[in-house]
Amino acid sequence: MREIVVGAAQMGPNQKSDTREAVVARMLSLLDQARDRGCTLLVYPELALTTFFPRWYMEDQAEVDTWFESEMPNAATAPLFQRARDYGIAISFGYAEKTPEGQYFNTQILTDREANIIGKYRKVHLPGHSEYDTERAFQHLEKRYFEPGDLGFPVWRTQDALVGMAVCNDRRWPETYRVMGLQGVELIVLGYNTPSVNSQMSKEGLAERLYHSELSMTSGAYQNATWVVGVAKCGDEDGHPLMAGSMIVDPNGFVVARAETEGDELITHACDMDLSVFGKETIFDFDRHRRIEHYGLITSQTGVVRPE
Ligand code: CDV
């Protein structure tokens, strides 16, 4: 059996005033728990090291830069990489990346069990806006602070499986899963920071937000016969509620583990990679059943064009 014991390390809120070191101390505690539960891969959320700073409007680029990491690992995260290496646990987490060329991305990395970074993904689907929006209950300025990811949706062979990544809003887009599905992905790991309320429609609250998140991940898992692990940063962050709902979904679209709190919490599951084989060889055997001659609009057109 090709088994990966996956941990989803849901994190409670990171306040604006929290240091990277204080956040990493909590990540280390989750890593200790993951070791006790036999994990070989531990997944943390999007922007795991800081608060979800795109909720704040900033004009001073020097201030914006304080939320970004210009190298990984760095002094603050070195203890996490060291302990992961000591335990033989691969890790994946999100952070704001500033490249040597001065580009800014919402990034997630994946290591092997020796703590070497073997994969990097940069968020493709950036939600929100780039200028201050007076119509919203709160800001979501990802389009101001990040560029769309430039690495596509690769998958990596590790722990005898094909593993891919996505970040937050990417989980709502079927294209995310399908591009990885076409590379045979067996496990998709993703982190998210999702406000508990829709900033543009206050009546869309926690229940709807949790439902849409689950709907997206379970359907992506089923339609591509892959494991999906979604990990939240949640709770009251800088006075803004983020939803929880971290979960591990099997290749048939069933939730096999689910977080119960809105704080630091580890959920785990021994994921059998071979569970994805049946779906990939039958109803979702892409090679036999896909009809790409009818899918051209998906890559030739971005928005909706209605017939006259
Ligand atoms: N961090 C995110 O990408 N959040 C979005 C919100 C804005 C909807 C999400 O898809 O969860």
Side-chain angles (χ1 to χ4, degrees):
M1 190 200 294
R2 293 182 301 128
E3 186 176 89
I4 300 181
V5 182
V6 181
Q10 176 174 287
M11 293 176 67
N14 295 341
Q15 307 306 334
K16 238 179 163 179
S17 55
D18 289 346
T19 62
R20 307 282 207 280
E21 287 74 14
V23 171
V24 168
R26 286 171 39 222
M27 294 171 80
L28 287 169
S29 166
L30 287 158
L31 184 60
D32 291 344
Q33 294 172 46
R35 190 255 331 245
D36 295 345
R37 287 164 67 169
C39 293
T40 59
L41 169 61
L42 184 61
V43 186
Y44 298 95
E46 175 189 31
L47 297 179
L49 304 173
T50 63
T51 192
F52 187 76
F53 64 86
R55 70 169 67 89
W56 303 116
Y57 179 76
M58 294 174 275
E59 290 184 322
D60 176 5
Q61 190 58 45
E63 184 188 354
V64 175
D65 278 12
T66 63
W67 300 107
F68 283 78
E69 319 298 321
S70 46
E71 51 181 6
M72 190 56 65
N74 55 24
T77 56
L80 184 65
F81 282 77
Q82 184 56 54
R83 200 174 298 181
R85 185 176 298 118
D86 293 344
Y87 291 169
I89 299 178
I91 56 174
S92 180
F93 66 89
Y95 64 97
E97 177 194 11
K98 180 179 178 185
T99 72
E101 296 75 34
Q103 289 183 283
Y104 297 83
F105 296 105
N106 189 341
T107 294
Q108 185 170 327
I109 46 129
L110 172 69
T111 76
D112 62 16
R113 297 181 67 181
E114 285 78 47
N116 304 300
I117 296 176
I118 57 162
K120 177 180 279 189
Y121 169 73
R122 290 171 173 155
K123 185 175 185 176
V124 165
H125 300 99
L126 296 175
H129 49 110
S130 52
E131 296 304 327
Y132 194 90
D133 184 351
T134 54
E135 301 293 310
R136 292 179 185 243
F138 50 90
Q139 303 297 297
H140 194 106
L141 292 152
E142 285 197 60
K143 287 194 197 298
R144 181 177 186 84
Y145 302 130
F146 301 117
E147 297 169 42
D150 59 353
L151 301 174
F153 293 99
V155 305
W156 293 269
R157 195 175 285 284
T158 186
Q159 297 195 46
D160 205 18
L162 290 168
V163 181
M165 291 184 275
V167 176
C168 196
N169 191 259
D170 289 318
R171 76 192 187 286
R172 303 184 194 276
W173 298 88
E175 295 87 346
T176 298
Y177 303 89
R178 183 49 50 91
V179 172
M180 290 190 265
L182 285 165
Q183 299 166 79
V185 76
E186 294 165 314
L187 170 64
I188 296 174
V189 297
L190 66 92
Y192 60 88
N193 285 220
T194 299
S196 305
V197 178
N198 189 325
S199 65
Q200 295 168 290
M201 188 169 65
S202 60
K203 76 175 191 319
E204 186 189 305
L206 183 59
E208 291 87 350
R209 304 290 264 184
L210 287 167
Y211 173 69
H212 290 151
S213 181
E214 179 166 340
L215 179 67
S216 302
M217 294 192 286
T218 53
S219 53
Y222 167 65
Q223 291 169 350
N224 295 277
T226 179
W227 291 90
V228 173
V229 178
V231 188
K233 172 146 65 68
C234 53
D236 187 326
E237 198 175 69
D238 300 335
H240 288 78
L242 295 174
M243 62 170 237
S246 302
M247 61 181 62
I248 301 175
V249 185
D250 78 12
N252 292 307
F254 292 102
V255 178
V256 296
R258 189 191 290 274
E260 290 173 357
T261 71
E262 286 197 348
D264 291 1
E265 179 182 346
L266 176 69
I267 58 171
T268 63
H269 189 80
C271 301
D272 175 5
M273 294 298 123
D274 289 329
L275 214 56
S276 68
V277 172
F278 182 75
K280 287 185 192 303
E281 290 185 350
T282 56
I283 192 160
F284 296 118
D285 181 344
F286 295 158
D287 200 34
R288 277 195 294 147
H289 305 310
R290 292 181 79 243
R291 302 264 42 129
I292 60 172
E293 65 273 28
H294 299 296
Y295 305 158
L297 284 184
I298 289 176
T299 54
S300 66
Q301 185 177 311
T302 308
V304 176
V305 179
R306 295 185 175 81
E308 290 302 311

mmCIF file with all atom_site columns, all heavy atoms in Angstrom, residues 29-46:
data_model
loop_
_atom_site.group_PDB
_atom_site.id
_atom_site.type_symbol
_atom_site.label_atom_id
_atom_site.label_alt_id
_atom_site.label_comp_id
_atom_site.label_asym_id
_atom_site.label_entity_id
_atom_site.label_seq_id
_atom_site.pdbx_PDB_ins_code
_atom_site.Cartn_x
_atom_site.Cartn_y
_atom_site.Cartn_z
_atom_site.occupancy
_atom_site.B_iso_or_equiv
_atom_site.pdbx_formal_charge
_atom_site.auth_seq_id
_atom_site.auth_comp_id
_atom_site.auth_asym_id
_atom_site.auth_atom_id
_atom_site.pdbx_PDB_model_num
ATOM 1   N N   . SER A 1 29 ? 4.858  23.267 17.794 1.00 0.00 ? 29 SER A N   1
ATOM 2   C CA  . SER A 1 29 ? 4.008  22.465 18.679 1.00 0.00 ? 29 SER A CA  1
ATOM 3   C C   . SER A 1 29 ? 3.108  21.535 17.857 1.00 0.00 ? 29 SER A C   1
ATOM 4   O O   . SER A 1 29 ? 2.922  20.354 18.189 1.00 0.00 ? 29 SER A O   1
ATOM 5   C CB  . SER A 1 29 ? 3.193  23.418 19.556 1.00 0.00 ? 29 SER A CB  1
ATOM 6   O OG  . SER A 1 29 ? 2.159  22.736 20.170 1.00 0.00 ? 29 SER A OG  1
ATOM 7   N N   . LEU A 1 30 ? 2.571  22.045 16.756 1.00 0.00 ? 30 LEU A N   1
ATOM 8   C CA  . LEU A 1 30 ? 1.762  21.201 15.864 1.00 0.00 ? 30 LEU A CA  1
ATOM 9   C C   . LEU A 1 30 ? 2.615  20.108 15.234 1.00 0.00 ? 30 LEU A C   1
ATOM 10  O O   . LEU A 1 30 ? 2.164  18.970 15.043 1.00 0.00 ? 30 LEU A O   1
ATOM 11  C CB  . LEU A 1 30 ? 1.105  22.068 14.779 1.00 0.00 ? 30 LEU A CB  1
ATOM 12  C CG  . LEU A 1 30 ? -0.059 22.944 15.285 1.00 0.00 ? 30 LEU A CG  1
ATOM 13  C CD1 . LEU A 1 30 ? -0.306 24.126 14.353 1.00 0.00 ? 30 LEU A CD1 1
ATOM 14  C CD2 . LEU A 1 30 ? -1.329 22.094 15.423 1.00 0.00 ? 30 LEU A CD2 1
ATOM 15  N N   . LEU A 1 31 ? 3.872  20.437 14.940 1.00 0.00 ? 31 LEU A N   1
ATOM 16  C CA  . LEU A 1 31 ? 4.792  19.442 14.371 1.00 0.00 ? 31 LEU A CA  1
ATOM 17  C C   . LEU A 1 31 ? 5.069  18.332 15.393 1.00 0.00 ? 31 LEU A C   1
ATOM 18  O O   . LEU A 1 31 ? 5.123  17.142 15.037 1.00 0.00 ? 31 LEU A O   1
ATOM 19  C CB  . LEU A 1 31 ? 6.091  20.143 13.952 1.00 0.00 ? 31 LEU A CB  1
ATOM 20  C CG  . LEU A 1 31 ? 7.157  19.318 13.254 1.00 0.00 ? 31 LEU A CG  1
ATOM 21  C CD1 . LEU A 1 31 ? 6.655  18.714 11.945 1.00 0.00 ? 31 LEU A CD1 1
ATOM 22  C CD2 . LEU A 1 31 ? 8.400  20.200 12.968 1.00 0.00 ? 31 LEU A CD2 1
ATOM 23  N N   . ASP A 1 32 ? 5.228  18.712 16.665 1.00 0.00 ? 32 ASP A N   1
ATOM 24  C CA  . ASP A 1 32 ? 5.426  17.699 17.714 1.00 0.00 ? 32 ASP A CA  1
ATOM 25  C C   . ASP A 1 32 ? 4.228  16.750 17.781 1.00 0.00 ? 32 ASP A C   1
ATOM 26  O O   . ASP A 1 32 ? 4.378  15.527 17.882 1.00 0.00 ? 32 ASP A O   1
ATOM 27  C CB  . ASP A 1 32 ? 5.610  18.370 19.075 1.00 0.00 ? 32 ASP A CB  1
ATOM 28  C CG  . ASP A 1 32 ? 6.922  19.127 19.189 1.00 0.00 ? 32 ASP A CG  1
ATOM 29  O OD1 . ASP A 1 32 ? 7.833  18.903 18.363 1.00 0.00 ? 32 ASP A OD1 1
ATOM 30  O OD2 . ASP A 1 32 ? 7.036  19.968 20.113 1.00 0.00 ? 32 ASP A OD2 1
ATOM 31  N N   . GLN A 1 33 ? 3.044  17.332 17.713 1.00 0.00 ? 33 GLN A N   1
ATOM 32  C CA  . GLN A 1 33 ? 1.833  16.487 17.748 1.00 0.00 ? 33 GLN A CA  1
ATOM 33  C C   . GLN A 1 33 ? 1.786  15.567 16.526 1.00 0.00 ? 33 GLN A C   1
ATOM 34  O O   . GLN A 1 33 ? 1.370  14.410 16.627 1.00 0.00 ? 33 GLN A O   1
ATOM 35  C CB  . GLN A 1 33 ? 0.589  17.369 17.771 1.00 0.00 ? 33 GLN A CB  1
ATOM 36  C CG  . GLN A 1 33 ? 0.422  18.211 19.023 1.00 0.00 ? 33 GLN A CG  1
ATOM 37  C CD  . GLN A 1 33 ? -0.735 19.192 18.876 1.00 0.00 ? 33 GLN A CD  1
ATOM 38  O OE1 . GLN A 1 33 ? -1.819 18.847 18.426 1.00 0.00 ? 33 GLN A OE1 1
ATOM 39  N NE2 . GLN A 1 33 ? -0.502 20.439 19.263 1.00 0.00 ? 33 GLN A NE2 1
ATOM 40  N N   . ALA A 1 34 ? 2.212  16.108 15.382 1.00 0.00 ? 34 ALA A N   1
ATOM 41  C CA  . ALA A 1 34 ? 2.204  15.308 14.144 1.00 0.00 ? 34 ALA A CA  1
ATOM 42  C C   . ALA A 1 34 ? 3.165  14.127 14.272 1.00 0.00 ? 34 ALA A C   1
ATOM 43  O O   . ALA A 1 34 ? 2.868  13.016 13.801 1.00 0.00 ? 34 ALA A O   1
ATOM 44  C CB  . ALA A 1 34 ? 2.590  16.183 12.956 1.00 0.00 ? 34 ALA A CB  1
ATOM 45  N N   . ARG A 1 35 ? 4.307  14.362 14.909 1.00 0.00 ? 35 ARG A N   1
ATOM 46  C CA  . ARG A 1 35 ? 5.253  13.256 15.126 1.00 0.00 ? 35 ARG A CA  1
ATOM 47  C C   . ARG A 1 35 ? 4.596  12.174 16.002 1.00 0.00 ? 35 ARG A C   1
ATOM 48  O O   . ARG A 1 35 ? 4.663  10.986 15.707 1.00 0.00 ? 35 ARG A O   1
ATOM 49  C CB  . ARG A 1 35 ? 6.527  13.817 15.794 1.00 0.00 ? 35 ARG A CB  1
ATOM 50  C CG  . ARG A 1 35 ? 7.704  12.844 15.857 1.00 0.00 ? 35 ARG A CG  1
ATOM 51  C CD  . ARG A 1 35 ? 7.972  12.251 17.226 1.00 0.00 ? 35 ARG A CD  1
ATOM 52  N NE  . ARG A 1 35 ? 7.594  13.070 18.347 1.00 0.00 ? 35 ARG A NE  1
ATOM 53  C CZ  . ARG A 1 35 ? 8.416  13.591 19.216 1.00 0.00 ? 35 ARG A CZ  1
ATOM 54  N NH1 . ARG A 1 35 ? 9.715  13.394 19.078 1.00 0.00 ? 35 ARG A NH1 1
ATOM 55  N NH2 . ARG A 1 35 ? 7.969  14.286 20.257 1.00 0.00 ? 35 ARG A NH2 1
ATOM 56  N N   . ASP A 1 36 ? 3.933  12.608 17.071 1.00 0.00 ? 36 ASP A N   1
ATOM 57  C CA  . ASP A 1 36 ? 3.291  11.650 17.981 1.00 0.00 ? 36 ASP A CA  1
ATOM 58  C C   . ASP A 1 36 ? 2.213  10.839 17.268 1.00 0.00 ? 36 ASP A C   1
ATOM 59  O O   . ASP A 1 36 ? 1.900  9.720  17.678 1.00 0.00 ? 36 ASP A O   1
ATOM 60  C CB  . ASP A 1 36 ? 2.660  12.380 19.174 1.00 0.00 ? 36 ASP A CB  1
ATOM 61  C CG  . ASP A 1 36 ? 3.712  13.049 20.053 1.00 0.00 ? 36 ASP A CG  1
ATOM 62  O OD1 . ASP A 1 36 ? 4.907  12.713 19.909 1.00 0.00 ? 36 ASP A OD1 1
ATOM 63  O OD2 . ASP A 1 36 ? 3.342  13.922 20.859 1.00 0.00 ? 36 ASP A OD2 1
ATOM 64  N N   . ARG A 1 37 ? 1.646  11.406 16.209 1.00 0.00 ? 37 ARG A N   1
ATOM 65  C CA  . ARG A 1 37 ? 0.558  10.702 15.500 1.00 0.00 ? 37 ARG A CA  1
ATOM 66  C C   . ARG A 1 37 ? 1.036  10.049 14.213 1.00 0.00 ? 37 ARG A C   1
ATOM 67  O O   . ARG A 1 37 ? 0.234  9.594  13.404 1.00 0.00 ? 37 ARG A O   1
ATOM 68  C CB  . ARG A 1 37 ? -0.605 11.667 15.259 1.00 0.00 ? 37 ARG A CB  1
ATOM 69  C CG  . ARG A 1 37 ? -1.329 11.916 16.602 1.00 0.00 ? 37 ARG A CG  1
ATOM 70  C CD  . ARG A 1 37 ? -2.234 13.109 16.614 1.00 0.00 ? 37 ARG A CD  1
ATOM 71  N NE  . ARG A 1 37 ? -3.392 12.981 15.744 1.00 0.00 ? 37 ARG A NE  1
ATOM 72  C CZ  . ARG A 1 37 ? -4.422 13.824 15.759 1.00 0.00 ? 37 ARG A CZ  1
ATOM 73  N NH1 . ARG A 1 37 ? -4.448 14.821 16.629 1.00 0.00 ? 37 ARG A NH1 1
ATOM 74  N NH2 . ARG A 1 37 ? -5.419 13.666 14.926 1.00 0.00 ? 37 ARG A NH2 1
ATOM 75  N N   . GLY A 1 38 ? 2.344  9.995  14.045 1.00 0.00 ? 38 GLY A N   1
ATOM 76  C CA  . GLY A 1 38 ? 2.912  9.207  12.946 1.00 0.00 ? 38 GLY A CA  1
ATOM 77  C C   . GLY A 1 38 ? 2.834  9.849  11.578 1.00 0.00 ? 38 GLY A C   1
ATOM 78  O O   . GLY A 1 38 ? 2.934  9.160  10.546 1.00 0.00 ? 38 GLY A O   1
ATOM 79  N N   . CYS A 1 39 ? 2.688  11.163 11.505 1.00 0.00 ? 39 CYS A N   1
ATOM 80  C CA  . CYS A 1 39 ? 2.581  11.823 10.194 1.00 0.00 ? 39 CYS A CA  1
ATOM 81  C C   . CYS A 1 39 ? 3.900  11.762 9.430  1.00 0.00 ? 39 CYS A C   1
ATOM 82  O O   . CYS A 1 39 ? 4.988  11.830 10.015 1.00 0.00 ? 39 CYS A O   1
ATOM 83  C CB  . CYS A 1 39 ? 2.193  13.297 10.366 1.00 0.00 ? 39 CYS A CB  1
ATOM 84  S SG  . CYS A 1 39 ? 0.539  13.535 11.015 1.00 0.00 ? 39 CYS A SG  1
ATOM 85  N N   . THR A 1 40 ? 3.769  11.668 8.108  1.00 0.00 ? 40 THR A N   1
ATOM 86  C CA  . THR A 1 40 ? 4.950  11.795 7.244  1.00 0.00 ? 40 THR A CA  1
ATOM 87  C C   . THR A 1 40 ? 4.863  13.054 6.385  1.00 0.00 ? 40 THR A C   1
ATOM 88  O O   . THR A 1 40 ? 5.811  13.380 5.670  1.00 0.00 ? 40 THR A O   1
ATOM 89  C CB  . THR A 1 40 ? 5.122  10.559 6.339  1.00 0.00 ? 40 THR A CB  1
ATOM 90  O OG1 . THR A 1 40 ? 3.941  10.398 5.528  1.00 0.00 ? 40 THR A OG1 1
ATOM 91  C CG2 . THR A 1 40 ? 5.355  9.303  7.161  1.00 0.00 ? 40 THR A CG2 1
ATOM 92  N N   . LEU A 1 41 ? 3.729  13.732 6.442  1.00 0.00 ? 41 LEU A N   1
ATOM 93  C CA  . LEU A 1 41 ? 3.563  15.015 5.743  1.00 0.00 ? 41 LEU A CA  1
ATOM 94  C C   . LEU A 1 41 ? 2.633  15.889 6.574  1.00 0.00 ? 41 LEU A C   1
ATOM 95  O O   . LEU A 1 41 ? 1.554  15.447 6.979  1.00 0.00 ? 41 LEU A O   1
ATOM 96  C CB  . LEU A 1 41 ? 2.946  14.790 4.349  1.00 0.00 ? 41 LEU A CB  1
ATOM 97  C CG  . LEU A 1 41 ? 2.472  16.036 3.587  1.00 0.00 ? 41 LEU A CG  1
ATOM 98  C CD1 . LEU A 1 41 ? 3.623  16.999 3.310  1.00 0.00 ? 41 LEU A CD1 1
ATOM 99  C CD2 . LEU A 1 41 ? 1.801  15.640 2.267  1.00 0.00 ? 41 LEU A CD2 1
ATOM 100 N N   . LEU A 1 42 ? 3.067  17.125 6.828  1.00 0.00 ? 42 LEU A N   1
ATOM 101 C CA  . LEU A 1 42 ? 2.265  18.044 7.628  1.00 0.00 ? 42 LEU A CA  1
ATOM 102 C C   . LEU A 1 42 ? 2.028  19.320 6.823  1.00 0.00 ? 42 LEU A C   1
ATOM 103 O O   . LEU A 1 42 ? 2.977  19.936 6.326  1.00 0.00 ? 42 LEU A O   1
ATOM 104 C CB  . LEU A 1 42 ? 2.987  18.378 8.942  1.00 0.00 ? 42 LEU A CB  1
ATOM 105 C CG  . LEU A 1 42 ? 2.211  19.264 9.925  1.00 0.00 ? 42 LEU A CG  1
ATOM 106 C CD1 . LEU A 1 42 ? 0.904  18.608 10.362 1.00 0.00 ? 42 LEU A CD1 1
ATOM 107 C CD2 . LEU A 1 42 ? 3.070  19.578 11.149 1.00 0.00 ? 42 LEU A CD2 1
ATOM 108 N N   . VAL A 1 43 ? 0.763  19.700 6.706  1.00 0.00 ? 43 VAL A N   1
ATOM 109 C CA  . VAL A 1 43 ? 0.373  20.840 5.865  1.00 0.00 ? 43 VAL A CA  1
ATOM 110 C C   . VAL A 1 43 ? -0.164 21.970 6.745  1.00 0.00 ? 43 VAL A C   1
ATOM 111 O O   . VAL A 1 43 ? -1.081 21.756 7.553  1.00 0.00 ? 43 VAL A O   1
ATOM 112 C CB  . VAL A 1 43 ? -0.717 20.421 4.851  1.00 0.00 ? 43 VAL A CB  1
ATOM 113 C CG1 . VAL A 1 43 ? -1.017 21.565 3.889  1.00 0.00 ? 43 VAL A CG1 1
ATOM 114 C CG2 . VAL A 1 43 ? -0.312 19.161 4.099  1.00 0.00 ? 43 VAL A CG2 1
ATOM 115 N N   . TYR A 1 44 ? 0.412  23.150 6.577  1.00 0.00 ? 44 TYR A N   1
ATOM 116 C CA  . TYR A 1 44 ? -0.031 24.356 7.297  1.00 0.00 ? 44 TYR A CA  1
ATOM 117 C C   . TYR A 1 44 ? -0.790 25.267 6.315  1.00 0.00 ? 44 TYR A C   1
ATOM 118 O O   . TYR A 1 44 ? -0.763 25.061 5.108  1.00 0.00 ? 44 TYR A O   1
ATOM 119 C CB  . TYR A 1 44 ? 1.181  25.109 7.845  1.00 0.00 ? 44 TYR A CB  1
ATOM 120 C CG  . TYR A 1 44 ? 2.043  24.368 8.848  1.00 0.00 ? 44 TYR A CG  1
ATOM 121 C CD1 . TYR A 1 44 ? 3.184  23.670 8.432  1.00 0.00 ? 44 TYR A CD1 1
ATOM 122 C CD2 . TYR A 1 44 ? 1.760  24.406 10.211 1.00 0.00 ? 44 TYR A CD2 1
ATOM 123 C CE1 . TYR A 1 44 ? 4.005  23.027 9.343  1.00 0.00 ? 44 TYR A CE1 1
ATOM 124 C CE2 . TYR A 1 44 ? 2.577  23.761 11.135 1.00 0.00 ? 44 TYR A CE2 1
ATOM 125 C CZ  . TYR A 1 44 ? 3.699  23.072 10.693 1.00 0.00 ? 44 TYR A CZ  1
ATOM 126 O OH  . TYR A 1 44 ? 4.513  22.439 11.602 1.00 0.00 ? 44 TYR A OH  1
ATOM 127 N N   . PRO A 1 45 ? -1.415 26.344 6.842  1.00 0.00 ? 45 PRO A N   1
ATOM 128 C CA  . PRO A 1 45 ? -2.252 27.198 5.970  1.00 0.00 ? 45 PRO A CA  1
ATOM 129 C C   . PRO A 1 45 ? -1.488 28.152 5.061  1.00 0.00 ? 45 PRO A C   1
ATOM 130 O O   . PRO A 1 45 ? -0.269 28.285 5.134  1.00 0.00 ? 45 PRO A O   1
ATOM 131 C CB  . PRO A 1 45 ? -3.062 28.031 6.982  1.00 0.00 ? 45 PRO A CB  1
ATOM 132 C CG  . PRO A 1 45 ? -2.763 27.506 8.325  1.00 0.00 ? 45 PRO A CG  1
ATOM 133 C CD  . PRO A 1 45 ? -1.517 26.701 8.257  1.00 0.00 ? 45 PRO A CD  1
ATOM 134 N N   . GLU A 1 46 ? -2.299 28.853 4.254  1.00 0.00 ? 46 GLU A N   1
ATOM 135 C CA  . GLU A 1 46 ? -1.846 30.018 3.466  1.00 0.00 ? 46 GLU A CA  1
ATOM 136 C C   . GLU A 1 46 ? -1.316 31.095 4.424  1.00 0.00 ? 46 GLU A C   1
ATOM 137 O O   . GLU A 1 46 ? -1.856 31.280 5.516  1.00 0.00 ? 46 GLU A O   1
ATOM 138 C CB  . GLU A 1 46 ? -3.061 30.576 2.706  1.00 0.00 ? 46 GLU A CB  1
ATOM 139 C CG  . GLU A 1 46 ? -2.814 31.851 1.929  1.00 0.00 ? 46 GLU A CG  1
ATOM 140 C CD  . GLU A 1 46 ? -4.118 32.481 1.376  1.00 0.00 ? 46 GLU A CD  1
ATOM 141 O OE1 . GLU A 1 46 ? -5.187 32.343 2.003  1.00 0.00 ? 46 GLU A OE1 1
ATOM 142 O OE2 . GLU A 1 46 ? -4.038 33.100 0.295  1.00 0.00 ? 46 GLU A OE2 1
#
